[in-house]
Amino acid sequence: MNRGVTRLALTAILVCAANTAQAQTVRPYNSTMGTLSDAHRGSFSSIEGRYTIALPKGIGGFSEGTFQWRLPEGYFTVGYMDSDEDLEISRDVMARALRQAEAAILDFNRWLLVMPVPTPQLSHKSLKFDGHPAVELRAQMPDGLAIARSIVFKKRIYSLAVMLVSDQQKNAVRAIEVFDSFRITPNEEADAIMKKRIADATPASLPQE
């Protein structure tokens, strides 16, 4: 287990488990919101979040700035957290990114699983995303795998996460490909799209008579 993972997060995960051998059971839901293949017909884009990612346009849920997709291939989330300071120049930038990744995995335990389970095997690695610092955390569970990737971009930390339960674990490589498709939208492009949306939603002027 990687010693860089905080003991507090480890304790929080382990204490919540009733049985260390318990398999994952996902909370019931009505239906999946498409598949990963649907992203080929148009990827998801968030103007407010200023990013795009190869996930279906139709989302399965939204909570506190985080979008959710319950797909047959896995359970994905994408969100972000803003700060008043430039996080990239912070001395503890990687520690902050790791904490954000840990939080994403803990959220899966809280809201996705019927009963939280322990994650006895945790590992992380540092990455670079277009020159920006990033970290990827993996949590191997008794019958599942959770992966979270945090990207630090100026005053914002983006969090991408996926939970693969039971036979969904075969989709781990494909899930990483989804993470790799993540792109931050340049400010000028995002502003142009926002202006167009406003213009399209604005009614035409009435005849001046």
Side-chain angles (χ1 to χ4, degrees):
M1 176 168 52
N2 196 307
R3 294 184 179 179
V5 179
T6 64
R7 292 188 177 183
L8 179 62
L10 280 171
T11 302
I13 298 174
L14 293 172
V15 168
C16 70
N19 184 345
T20 57
Q22 176 189 343
Q24 278 74 87
T25 303
V26 175
R27 295 184 186 278
Y29 57 95
N30 292 330
S31 62
T32 57
M33 300 298 296
T35 70
L36 286 180
S37 298
D38 294 335
H40 295 307
R41 295 192 289 271
S43 296
F44 177 80
S45 175
S46 171
I47 299 303
E48 295 77 12
R50 296 178 182 259
Y51 66 83
T52 60
I53 188 168
L55 285 166
K57 288 186 175 181
I59 63 172
F62 176 80
S63 175
E64 299 179 354
T66 299
F67 291 94
Q68 304 163 1
W69 290 262
R70 294 193 172 196
L71 308 177
E73 299 92 343
Y75 307 84
F76 291 83
T77 64
V78 180
Y80 59 88
M81 179 191 70
D82 287 327
S83 173
D84 294 330
E85 60 178 311
D86 189 336
L87 299 173
E88 288 195 60
I89 62 175
S90 173
R91 287 185 296 179
D92 63 344
V93 58
M94 297 309 294
R96 293 192 184 200
L98 184 57
R99 287 197 296 269
Q100 194 75 359
E102 290 170 351
I105 289 177
L106 285 172
D107 280 346
F108 277 139
N109 247 338
R110 293 190 188 103
W111 64 261
L112 181 62
L113 301 181
V114 171
M115 182 177 292
V117 297
T119 55
Q121 298 179 29
L122 284 161
S123 62
H124 79 269
K125 61 181 179 180
S126 298
L127 304 171
K128 281 291 184 179
F129 174 82
D130 290 342
H132 303 282
V135 66
E136 185 175 291
L137 174 66
R138 289 184 177 233
Q140 186 65 57
M141 299 182 179
D143 188 29
L145 171 66
I147 309 171
R149 181 180 294 183
S150 293
I151 300 166
V152 183
F153 181 77
K154 299 180 180 179
K155 296 183 178 182
R156 174 174 289 180
I157 300 181
Y158 289 98
S159 295
L160 325 175
V162 62
M163 172 74 89
L164 306 168
V165 176
S166 191
D167 63 348
Q168 289 178 338
Q169 294 179 77
K170 65 186 180 184
N171 300 317
V173 172
R174 196 170 183 190
I176 292 299
E177 291 174 351
V178 171
F179 285 5
D180 290 341
S181 74
F182 180 82
R183 292 292 179 271
I184 296 173
T185 308
N187 289 339
E188 311 79 42
E189 183 180 335
D191 291 340
I193 295 173
M194 182 64 75
K195 289 179 181 178
K196 184 178 184 304
R197 288 188 177 183
I198 293 174
D200 291 343
T202 302
S205 301
L206 296 174
Q208 300 300 310
E209 294 182 358

